[in-house]
Amino acid sequence: MKKWFSVSVLLVVLLSPGLLQAQTDGLFQRTPPAPEAETLLTTYLPLLSSGHYQQALSLTDLRGMRHYLLERRLADLKTRNPGLTAENLMEISAAIQLNDLAPGRLQAILLDMLQSAGYQGMTWNIRGYAPPPPPIEGYVANVETLSAQGQSKTLLLGLKQLGEEWVIAPEITEALSERMAPPPVAAREVPTPQPVSTLVDDFWTAWKEGDMERVYALYTEDYRRAVSLLAFLEQAQALGAHIGGVLSWEVTHSRKIGPNVLGIGANIQGTKGASPVAMVFRQMGETWVLENAQFQPPRAAPTPPPPMAPPNLRPNLAPNLAPAIGPLATPPEAAVPAFSPPVQIGPDAAPIGPDGP
C-alpha cells in the first residue's frame, strides 16, 4: 500500500525510541493513571503479540487521530496560504476528509503498519506512565518489548479517557514527538530561471489559445505515460468551469524544493474568476522540463453521513494530502510526488470542519 510523505510518521501507533524516548525517560511512574488504563494496555499488547491487529485497532481512537491530522494539515495550509478564505478551508477540509482522511483508508494504513512492524510473538514489560507537557492531554505509557527475534525496543503509547473508556491515542505521541522535533526549514525562494519562465508562458499561452494538445505535450514523457490525454482534459475542464477562459497569469513564487527541482506558484486569471496553481519543473542537464502541475480547484463534498462514533471503527486511507490549493507547499529537498488520479472512496467519512467538530 502506498504511504504518503508523512503518513509513516503521523500515523504510527507504536513509536520506536529516539529523541522522544531520550527526552521522556525518567518521567515515568509505575502507578497507572487509572486501573482501566492498565487494563487497556494488558489487553492491547497481547493482541499485537498474537497478531490480532484488527482487534487491536478497535481499541484505538481513530476519530481523535483523524481530527488531529486534519487540524494539523489545515493549520499548515493557512500558514502557507494566508489568502485562503473560510469557505476555501471548508471545501479543502471536506475534500481531505473524503479522500486522504477517509476513515476506511486511515484504518487500512494503520492495519498495514501493524502487520509490517513485527509485533507478533513479542514479549513486553510496562515500565511506567507519564502525562505529556501541556497543552497535550492524556498519558504516555513506556513499554519495553522483546521481539520474537530477540530484538529489544522501547514503545511509547498514547492513552486517554473518553467518557468511561480508556483508548489508545496515537495523536498524543505524534504531538509530543512533533513538539520535540527541530522546526522545519522553509523552502528557499529563488529567482525564476528564464527557461522556466518561458515554459510557463508557453504553457498558459497554449491554454489561452485552446490548444490543449500542445499544453499536454509540454509535460515530460513520464507524466504523459502516467496521465492520459483524456484524464488531463478532464482536469483542464474542471479548471475552466471554475475560472472560465484563461486571460492572464502571474508567477507568485519560485522555490527550490529539491535537488534540481523548482516549485512555481502562479495565479491564473480567467473570464469568470482566478485560481492559484502549482507547477513543478526539473532541470535535466541544461534543460528544464515540466514535471507536474496541480490546477484543479477544491470542490465541495457531497452531503456527508451522520458523524462517526468514537472508537470501534470502520476505516480507509492513503497519500496525497490536499487538493491543489495554491503556492507550492512541498518541503525542501523532499521528493516530488508523482501525479496520481483521484482515489475513489466509500461514503463513510464524517467531515469535521476546519476548526474542529
Side-chain angles (χ1 to χ4, degrees), residues 276-297:
V277 302
M279 306 175 77
V280 178
F281 295 87
R282 183 179 295 275
Q283 187 174 25
M284 303 179 70
E286 299 298 316
T287 304
W288 284 91
V289 296
L290 174 60
E291 194 166 73
N292 204 343
Q294 296 287 339
F295 46 76
Q296 187 172 359

Side-chain angles (χ1 to χ4, degrees), residues 324-350:
I325 38 77
L328 198 69
T330 308
E333 307 305 318
V336 178
F339 185 91
S340 57
V343 179
Q344 299 298 317
I345 54 133
D348 55 354

Side-chain angles (χ1 to χ4, degrees), residues 22 145 167 187 189 246 258 295 324:
T145 71
V167 293
E189 198 80 22
V246 171
F295 46 76

Side-chain angles (χ1 to χ4, degrees), residues 34-45:
E36 294 81 3
E38 187 171 33
T39 300
L40 170 66
L41 276 188
T42 56
T43 303
Y44 182 78
L45 294 168

Side-chain angles (χ1 to χ4, degrees), residues 45-56 111 115 119-121:
L45 294 168
L47 291 174
L48 294 183
S49 179
S50 60
H52 293 98
Y53 302 125
Q54 192 73 50
Q55 290 174 259
L111 186 61
Q115 291 170 338
Y119 299 127
Q120 193 158 355

Side-chain angles (χ1 to χ4, degrees), residues 239-283:
L239 181 64
H242 181 62
I243 68 169
V246 171
L247 295 176
S248 63
W249 51 94
E250 178 187 10
V251 172
T252 56
H253 294 284
S254 178
R255 293 172 179 161
K256 184 177 180 181
I257 58 175
N260 302 318
V261 181
L262 196 66
I264 295 293
N267 190 60
I268 311 303
Q269 181 64 53
T271 54
K272 297 195 301 182
S275 177
V277 302
M279 306 175 77
V280 178
F281 295 87
R282 183 179 295 275
Q283 187 174 25

